[in-house]
Amino acid sequence: MTGALTQVVVLLAMAVLAVVVFRRLHLPPILAYLSAGILAGPGGLGWVGDTEGMLHLAEFGIVFLLFSLGLEFSIPKVLALRRVVFGAGPLQVLLTGLPVAALMWLLGFTPAVALIAGGAFALSSTAIVIRDLITRGAVNTGYGRATTGVLLFQDLAAVIMLVLLPVLANPDSGHPGIAAAVTLGKALALFIGIYVIGKWVLPRALEETGRARSDEVFVMTALLLALLAAWVTHALGLSMALGAFLAGMMLGESHFRHQIEADIRPFRDLLLGLFFMGVGMLVSPALFATHWHWILLGAAVLMLFKLALISLLLRWLGERTETALRSGILLAQGGEFGFVLVALAVSHGLMDNEQAGVLVSITVLTMAVTPALLDNSGALTRRLLRQWEQEPDTPAVDEATTGHVLLCGYGRVGQNLMRYLTRFHHQAVAIDTDLVRIQEASQAGERIIFGDATRKEILERAGIHRASLLVVTFDDARQAERILHTVHQLCPDLRVLVRTRDDTHLDELIQAGAAEVVPEVLEASLMLVAHALMMLDTPFGKVLAMLRQSRRERYKLLRGYYHGESLPTSDSAGNPYRLLHAVTLHGRAACLGKRLDELKLNESKVEVQTLRRGDRTIDRPADDEVLQDGDILILYGPLEAVEASEEKLLGG
């Protein structure tokens, strides 16, 4: 008992440490668990020797994983994406799995190992890809829907593979085809039975449980449902994971879904962590050192093959080239269900640890590079399209077009600006690099040119010499500076309006030649102030005058704010971050009786934004203002400079 407890404590400690480190490196937690397992296992430091017992315990993690997957497996979503789910999905799994299996068989592996490897490599990582799509808010984009559709079928295929795995493990059960048909027949009968129970029995049972108003009872009920379904399928000679998946799918349409998912998650995450650590124990660092060239080659070939295959299949189904290619990039890696198949194959004696270690190593390597691919999938897609496709044939703006507005970037802000310019009878021409957006806008009759707005020839094609205004509509200060530099070379007198996120780069953009800079955060603050004042019955003329003055002074009153605990040390450009800080002048302050200009705070890049004296508030106090006891100065500037100025004010 003591030895088992020691192993659990060691594994949990290593898991916590590994997850923290991998989070800092922006790598998925799955890789952290696998790395911890490799380090703790027999091939690493050897702290845990009972890998078989660990995998038996971790099988419950698979049960809860499939139960959670069933909760999220929406039949309406499958039907909505049926063209991709049942079109590209089956072809992708077959055209990936069969060539891999054939190659493994030709290399001398047993048919069972070859089939398991083919099935494992045909799957991609649902956990990594879907989480990234949700984080970026890209689930409902074209490539998000295509990617989700392929993953939905892969998840369904993984369940079928788990069902058929015992058939491979028990060759004495008769003809493999007949055994597989019997197994699938049992699964279908089980599906019908669980559907009936899930449709009419489980909701009423959960309603009775809910009336008890006991969190403990509801959690125990959720655990019981998952484990009971797994026990039933195991008793029928099927995979425990199948029953959990079917039970979850039946409950996925009920209004208890989210509560059950929240209750199951702690158990699922803990046991899955142990499962992936158990899979990592199958990998030996010495094995990687021996077969590193095969592992690297296998990972590279797998990712390139899946990328090309998925892109071609989606393109064949009528998806746009950019959508198909980006989906292929997102789905090029191996997935966590590959680990599940390999681990169960080892537990059934179909595969030895060395073979499993090579397959797991290849999958881990593909998953390790996936975060970088996800972050750069858009840029990589555009770069590949520029090499493989000709740029859209967008003619230059004709000579008759004069006095028009150039929009650099045609995202949401650019499109809204175009609508209002058109309403007020102003001509506008947009420049963008998104091929799909260009095709959509061109079909709608809008004037848009493909190209990089920092290049002279693109701006000349857009008629910059005849334009009356240029607007940078996207939030990228560095790109905006390059556009300003190019515009200054071509048309020094052309007015340029630049959009930014906040006031971080406001001064640099003004110095680079921008006529006006619109920081959207500060503009939102102004609009909120204006609405609040008008709701307080402030005359509209005064509100309008306040808005004009704030913009004329380039938002001086709004710049800077009081930070909380998470004070950044520098902005996105690497410059020292500027903040507001209040300094109260007490009776012993060295600056009392002195004028502001005598203190020379401006030399340290610190501004006195506000002076509060009793009930009076003086914005931008004059240089000849004499400081008095009890004054409160609001300083604005870099952190170190503000601290030095406070010391000068108080201590001299």
Side-chain angles (χ1 to χ4, degrees):
M1 181 64 181
T2 304
L5 180 61
T6 303
Q7 288 187 358
V8 171
V9 170
V10 168
L11 286 174
L12 289 177
M14 294 189 67
V16 170
L17 180 61
V19 170
V20 170
V21 172
F22 276 62
R23 284 287 190 190
R24 294 286 180 90
L25 299 174
H26 303 289
L27 293 174
I30 292 174
L31 296 181
Y33 292 128
L34 291 167
S35 301
I38 294 171
L39 189 62
L45 299 176
W47 290 345
V48 178
D50 185 17
T51 58
E52 185 176 351
M54 179 62 62
L55 287 175
H56 280 309
L57 175 63
E59 277 190 42
F60 289 102
I62 304 171
V63 169
F64 290 126
L65 172 65
L66 268 293
F67 186 72
S68 300
L69 178 63
L71 290 172
E72 299 172 1
F73 197 87
S74 170
I75 294 179
K77 184 186 293 185
V78 173
L79 295 177
L81 299 171
R82 58 186 177 276
R83 188 170 60 89
V84 176
V85 174
F86 300 111
L91 290 174
Q92 182 270 321
V93 172
L94 289 174
L95 294 180
T96 304
L98 292 179
V100 171
L103 179 62
M104 297 283 287
W105 181 67
L106 291 174
L107 291 175
F109 291 91
T110 64
V113 172
L115 287 173
I116 292 168
F121 287 150
L123 306 175
S124 303
S125 178
T126 302
I128 296 176
V129 176
I130 292 296
R131 183 175 299 174
D132 182 80
L133 290 175
I134 293 173
T135 302
R136 298 176 191 274
V139 175
N140 291 317
T141 60
Y143 72 89
R145 288 191 296 270
T147 301
T148 303
V150 175
L151 286 172
L152 282 171
F153 185 83
Q154 287 185 358
D155 292 342
L156 188 60
V159 175
I160 296 174
M161 293 175 194
L162 292 174
V163 171
L164 296 178
L165 189 64
V167 175
L168 290 176
N170 188 15
D172 298 331
S173 58
H175 191 276
I178 297 175
V182 171
T183 302
L184 290 176
K186 289 182 181 179
L188 181 60
L190 182 67
F191 173 80
I192 295 172
I194 290 183
Y195 177 81
V196 172
I197 296 173
K199 188 75 174 178
W200 287 284
V201 178
L202 288 183
R204 295 181 181 178
L206 289 171
E207 287 176 5
E208 291 297 327
T209 304
R211 290 193 184 99
R213 299 187 181 278
S214 171
D215 292 339
E216 295 85 355
V217 173
F218 199 89
V219 170
M220 286 189 291
T221 304
L223 292 174
L224 177 63
L225 290 176
L227 295 176
L228 182 61
W231 174 77
V232 170
T233 51
H234 182 68
L236 293 174
L238 300 173
S239 168
M240 290 194 298
L242 173 64
F245 173 79
L246 294 177
M249 191 169 66
M250 291 304 102
L251 292 171
E253 303 300 325
S254 71
H255 56 276
F256 297 104
R257 167 194 162 186
H258 298 291
Q259 182 63 44
I260 293 174
E261 188 176 10
D263 291 335
I264 287 290
R265 184 176 297 140
F267 302 95
R268 181 198 66 191
D269 292 345
L270 176 61
L271 292 171
L272 271 181
L274 292 176
F275 169 75
F276 288 124
M277 292 180 74
V279 173
M281 293 176 192
L282 301 176
V283 181
S284 169
L287 179 71
F288 186 86
T290 304
H291 301 291
W292 64 270
H293 49 291
W294 290 111
I295 293 171
L296 292 176
L297 178 64
V301 170
L302 176 65
M303 296 193 75
L304 290 174
F305 180 75
K306 290 181 73 173
L307 189 158
L309 177 63
I310 293 171
S311 301
L312 290 173
L313 287 173
L314 291 174
R315 190 71 186 90
W316 173 68
L317 285 174
E319 297 288 345
R320 299 183 182 276
T321 304
E322 184 179 22
T323 298
L325 185 56
R326 192 164 185 179
S327 299
I329 293 173
L330 295 180
L331 296 171
Q333 76 291 127
E336 55 276 355
F337 280 111
F339 299 140
V340 175
L341 286 173
V342 170
L344 292 181
V346 172
S347 65
H348 282 91
L350 292 170
M351 187 181 297
D352 59 42
N353 284 358
E354 183 175 357
Q355 294 169 338
V358 172
L359 298 182
V360 170
S361 298
I362 292 174
T363 305
V364 168
L365 198 56
T366 63
M367 294 174 74
V369 302
T370 294
L373 286 177
L374 296 177
D375 290 338
N376 300 284
S377 61
L380 183 59
T381 300
R382 290 190 293 271
R383 186 173 301 175
L384 291 173
L385 287 176
R386 286 172 190 168
Q387 294 179 359
W388 294 344
E389 292 187 346
Q390 293 184 348
E391 294 183 358
D393 185 17
T394 51
V397 176
D398 56 69
E399 297 288 337
T401 303
T402 59
H404 57 287
V405 179
L406 284 184
L407 306 181
C408 298
Y410 202 55
R412 186 165 188 171
V413 174
Q415 292 173 36
N416 289 336
L417 182 54
M418 174 77 86
R419 290 171 190 147
Y420 278 92
L421 289 172
T422 303
R423 176 172 293 185
F424 284 88
H425 308 291
H426 292 286
Q427 291 182 308
V429 177
I431 304 172
D432 203 278
T433 57
D434 191 309
L435 292 172
V436 175
R437 189 178 293 152
I438 288 171
Q439 292 169 0
E440 293 280 355
S442 298
Q443 290 175 6
E446 298 182 7
R447 305 178 73 179
I448 184 167
I449 289 176
F450 177 89
D452 184 353
T454 62
R455 293 166 54 186
K456 292 181 181 179
E457 59 270 22
I458 298 298
L459 292 175
E460 288 173 343
R461 284 180 61 197
I464 187 173
H465 295 289
R466 303 183 302 279
S468 60
L469 177 67
L470 184 144
V471 184
V472 179
T473 67
F474 51 79
D475 175 25
D476 187 333
R478 290 292 162 255
Q479 191 87 337
E481 283 191 34
R482 288 194 287 270
I483 292 174
L484 286 166
H485 177 71
T486 306
V487 171
H488 183 71
Q489 290 179 331
L490 294 173
C491 299
D493 297 329
L494 181 64
R495 294 174 299 168
V496 181
L497 175 63
V498 179
R499 166 205 169 196
T500 63
R501 171 67 180 163
D502 51 31
D503 59 338
T504 302
H505 304 280
L506 193 148
D507 294 332
E508 292 93 327
L509 291 169
I510 293 293
Q511 293 171 6
E516 291 293 340
V517 179
V518 181
E520 56 188 31
V521 171
L522 302 189
E523 274 295 323
S525 301
L526 276 181
M527 290 299 98
L528 194 63
V529 169
H531 282 289
L533 290 175
M534 286 190 291
M535 291 176 73
L536 294 170
D537 299 325
T538 304
F540 178 74
K542 289 187 177 182
V543 175
L544 186 60
M546 179 272 298
L547 292 175
R548 288 175 175 172
Q549 181 182 359
S550 297
R551 292 177 180 134
R552 189 166 53 248
E553 294 177 348
R554 302 197 189 282
Y555 311 96
K556 284 185 178 179
L557 188 62
L558 301 179
R559 297 175 70 176
Y561 64 100
Y562 301 107
H563 288 275
E565 294 181 6
S566 57
L567 171 64
T569 57
S570 61
D571 60 26
S572 57
N575 302 316
Y577 213 91
R578 304 170 76 85
L579 76 158
L580 289 178
H581 180 62
V583 179
T584 302
L585 308 181
H586 50 73
R588 297 181 181 179
C591 64
L592 295 180
K594 295 182 179 180
R595 303 192 328 174
L596 278 175
D597 55 359
E598 294 179 36
L599 300 172
K600 299 180 179 179
L601 298 180
N602 291 334
E603 294 181 359
S604 58
K605 298 182 179 179
V606 172
E607 303 174 16
V608 179
Q609 193 169 79
T610 307
L611 169 65
R612 291 178 181 168
R613 179 174 293 160
D615 295 332
R616 294 176 56 204
T617 298
I618 306 172
D619 293 324
R620 306 286 172 182
D623 291 338
D624 59 356
E625 189 73 46
V626 178
L627 299 178
Q628 302 176 10
D629 187 13
D631 285 352
I632 300 175
L633 293 179
I634 310 298
L635 305 181
Y636 172 66
L639 174 61
E640 293 183 359
V642 167
E643 290 177 344
S645 298
E646 181 179 19
E647 185 176 347
K648 180 187 290 188
L649 289 168
L650 299 180

